[in-house]
Amino acid sequence: MKKTMVFLLSIMLGLPTMAQHRGYHVNYPSRRHATSVYSHHNWNDTHNYYGLRVGLALSTVSSDDAYLDGSGLSSGINMGIVAGFQMVPRTPLFFETGLNYTEKGGHGHYNGNKFTYDLNYLEVPLLLKYDYHTGHNCSIQPFIGGYLALGVGGKVKDFGSRKASSSFDDDFFKRFDGGLRIGCGLAYSHLYAEVAYDLGLSNICHDTFNTSRNGCLLLNCGLNF
């Protein structure tokens, strides 16, 4: 897990240098028309952007199985890199994807004992984002889409027996997850902030008759290039 976080941090720290070297910045006729790395003026060329994100993940695991129900709120980190690609010339509609490391989970009680469920994922967002320019270097960017996730670590802790097991053992959760993501971002020049919600649609438990699903509120900030 530490190697995964170091890998993502290395990419995040190196991305600004890569962006400058490869010429990702857009030259504007006037600074007052700039939003971040794209503008609602001069749409003759297709624009792309690249970004860094870091923030807070507030999550739960809702389950029909009382043993796996982590409906109590859990907090973790969310960080990663994104790339946005203008879909149609002269239209501020972008397809955004990337790679995130997100700590999800929850906590609950079973037979009087406290349980915590840590579910750490590598996630790929698949979003449609609209860039609405408001003037003064600002833009509002609502988005909707989905995400795909692969579990890469985490523990289920039973505080009654003082035991910890891998979250992705056969007795607990599946590694693969996917669902809907909806949210809105705010850009000021190269600065960016967003709020989003992940609604898990995949049944992440192994039980055929019960369902367990992730839910997560994401509060991120970062930079666009």
Side-chain angles (χ1 to χ4, degrees):
M1 184 53 54
K2 291 183 178 179
K3 292 182 179 180
T4 300
M5 295 180 65
V6 170
F7 173 71
L8 283 172
L9 284 172
S10 299
I11 296 177
M12 292 171 68
L13 292 174
L15 191 56
T17 303
M18 294 169 57
Q20 292 177 355
H21 177 73
R22 295 177 181 272
Y24 290 146
H25 291 276
V26 177
N27 294 320
Y28 299 103
S30 171
R31 293 293 296 175
R32 67 185 179 88
H33 292 316
T35 57
S36 54
V37 294
Y38 37 83
S39 171
H40 283 258
H41 306 275
N42 305 311
W43 286 102
N44 293 328
D45 298 323
T46 299
H47 301 307
N48 302 325
Y49 64 89
Y50 302 84
L52 311 177
R53 302 286 185 265
V54 63
L56 182 65
L58 301 172
S59 61
T60 60
V61 181
S62 60
S63 179
D64 298 331
D65 186 341
Y67 183 60
L68 300 179
D69 186 35
S71 54
L73 195 65
S74 176
S75 62
I77 65 171
N78 177 62
M79 64 180 183
I81 56 176
V82 300
F85 307 95
Q86 186 182 347
M87 297 186 64
V88 182
R90 301 179 181 274
T91 302
L93 182 65
F94 292 81
F95 171 71
E96 183 177 288
T97 187
L99 180 64
N100 300 328
Y101 169 75
T102 306
E103 295 178 345
K104 296 182 178 181
H107 67 84
H109 291 81
Y110 182 73
N111 286 342
N113 296 327
K114 177 182 177 182
F115 280 76
T116 61
Y117 310 89
D118 300 324
L119 303 170
N120 305 327
Y121 293 98
L122 286 180
E123 296 186 341
V124 176
L126 303 167
L127 306 174
L128 289 179
K129 175 177 283 189
Y130 187 83
D131 175 34
Y132 178 75
H133 180 60
T134 61
H136 303 291
N137 295 342
C138 292
S139 69
I140 298 173
Q141 301 169 12
F143 55 86
I144 190 171
Y147 70 92
L148 299 174
L150 173 67
V152 294
K155 296 289 186 181
V156 174
K157 298 177 183 178
D158 180 350
F159 285 79
S161 64
R162 310 292 292 179
K163 291 178 60 177
S165 305
S166 171
S167 297
F168 300 107
D169 282 350
D170 290 341
D171 292 332
F172 297 109
F173 301 102
K174 299 176 182 177
R175 288 189 179 272
F176 293 97
D177 186 28
L180 299 177
R181 178 172 297 177
I182 187 170
C184 188
L186 177 65
Y188 176 76
S189 187
H190 291 282
L191 301 178
Y192 180 82
E194 70 179 12
V195 58
Y197 187 78
D198 285 353
L199 177 64
L201 298 181
S202 297
N203 181 11
I204 61 172
C205 74
H206 294 276
D207 196 316
T208 303
F209 299 99
N210 292 314
T211 58
S212 298
R213 292 189 174 89
N214 282 311
C216 186
L217 178 67
L218 301 171
L219 305 171
N220 293 325
C221 60
L223 298 171
N224 285 335
F225 304 97

